[in-house]
Amino acid sequence: MKLYYNPASTTCRIIMMFAAEEGIPLDFVMIDLAAGEHHKPEYKAVNPSCLVPTLDDDGFRLTESGAIVRYLAGKANSAAYPVDLQQRARVDEAMEWFYSNFYKDHGYAMIYPQLFPHHKRPTDEAQAGTIAWGREKAKHWLGILDKDLLGPDRKFLCGDEITLADYVGAEMVTLGELVHCKYGEYSNVRRWIGNMKALQHWAEVHEVANGYAASLRDKQFVSI
Ligand SMILES: N[C@@H](CCC(=O)N[C@@H](CS)C(=O)NCC(=O)O)C(=O)O
């Protein structure tokens, strides 16, 4: 199976981490986002949305990181996506919470406009307003993540065992480290992220992202 990816991409690292931890072999095809390779006709034919990741399983092409990890988990019979209907529904519930609530505010409103020119708003006022709004909403979601989704006892989002939701959520939260988020008010979130960072393949999968973070160390950002 081929994965079109870029290691600096949050949504790609969800797949990279899950595949690495589960020992699922993937042939990685690097797409150079900085050079605009994802907008070239060759890649547009692979993924019409011109985004990474895309999986190609012997000609079966699949986009959307959430769909891709579910597909890989199904192929590998992974316990990280339980077959029991209600347990699986809990994993889906947490995954959807991150994609549709948390990421749009924390990632797309607070973080990406600060990092990427094509996410920057057209005026200073709109830019500052978007980031401030995203920050407030992200703090709201982090409070729920900390107290209700994790609480003081859970090792992972759905209990003591890691699930797909943890792979999704941990990438979306740690994305904030690029803009110097420390999440000081959210001790359960920090404890959970610590559990994720202790995974065997975390360091190698995050090498490029960590290099990018280091290059941003001296910049000023709005953070949490
Ligand atoms: N909903 C998609 C989002 C994919 C996505 O946003 N990918 C980003 C990298 S994290 C991308 O390809 N960005 C290229 C661009 O914005 O031009 C998924 O979960 O796979």
Side-chain angles (χ1 to χ4, degrees):
M1 283 183 288
K2 252 191 306 201
L3 186 76
Y4 297 89
Y5 87 118
N6 186 293
S9 148
T10 301
T11 47
C12 291
R13 286 195 306 276
I14 294 168
I15 321 289
M16 293 165 71
M17 269 306 293
F18 175 67
E21 291 294 321
E22 296 269 337
I24 299 169
L26 293 174
D27 294 325
F28 289 97
V29 182
M30 168 82 153
I31 299 297
D32 188 343
L33 300 179
E37 208 180 332
H38 52 312
H39 290 294
K40 292 202 171 140
E42 304 87 287
Y43 188 68
K44 195 169 164 51
V46 170
N47 181 339
S49 301
C50 299
L51 297 170
V52 287
T54 303
L55 184 77
D56 186 326
D57 184 8
D58 205 15
F60 174 69
R61 282 188 183 145
L62 191 62
T63 66
E64 296 301 322
S65 55
I68 294 171
V69 275
R70 286 176 173 107
Y71 180 79
L72 292 177
K75 278 199 84 142
N77 285 321
S78 168
Y81 197 42
V83 285
D84 175 85
L85 195 56
Q86 293 191 352
Q87 285 179 21
R88 177 168 287 204
R90 284 281 172 245
V91 176
D92 284 330
E93 180 182 46
M95 288 173 77
E96 296 308 320
W97 187 89
F98 275 104
Y99 277 109
S100 58
N101 296 333
F102 185 77
Y103 195 33
K104 83 175 159 45
D105 296 327
H106 181 257
Y108 283 91
M110 188 184 87
I111 299 171
Y112 291 146
Q114 299 194 73
L115 294 178
F116 304 123
H118 64 297
H119 283 268
K120 198 168 176 206
R121 300 307 193 262
T123 65
D124 288 349
E125 193 184 2
Q127 172 80 350
T130 302
I131 293 166
W133 184 86
R135 181 174 183 275
E136 278 321 295
K137 296 285 277 182
K139 286 180 62 138
H140 166 72
W141 298 126
L142 281 162
I144 292 170
L145 176 61
D146 195 72
K147 294 202 171 40
D148 302 297
L149 273 59
L150 286 164
D153 300 323
R154 282 194 184 188
K155 184 168 182 200
F156 295 110
L157 282 160
C158 297
D160 283 338
E161 303 302 327
I162 193 166
T163 69
L164 296 187
D166 297 290
Y167 290 103
V168 170
E171 294 305 332
M172 291 182 182
V173 171
T174 55
L175 167 66
E177 294 173 3
L178 292 175
V179 297
H180 309 167
C181 289
K182 303 274 188 284
Y183 305 115
E185 288 173 50
Y186 310 101
S187 58
N188 296 317
V189 172
R190 284 188 281 111
R191 179 178 50 77
W192 165 64
I193 290 298
N195 293 336
M196 293 302 292
K197 287 188 173 178
L199 293 176
Q200 190 186 350
H201 297 279
W202 184 276
E204 83 199 33
V205 166
H206 291 79
E207 206 177 322
V208 170
N210 289 342
Y212 181 39
S215 76
L216 298 171
R217 198 173 289 143
D218 297 329
K219 293 207 167 178
Q220 294 275 310
F221 292 112
V222 173
S223 62
I224 294 176

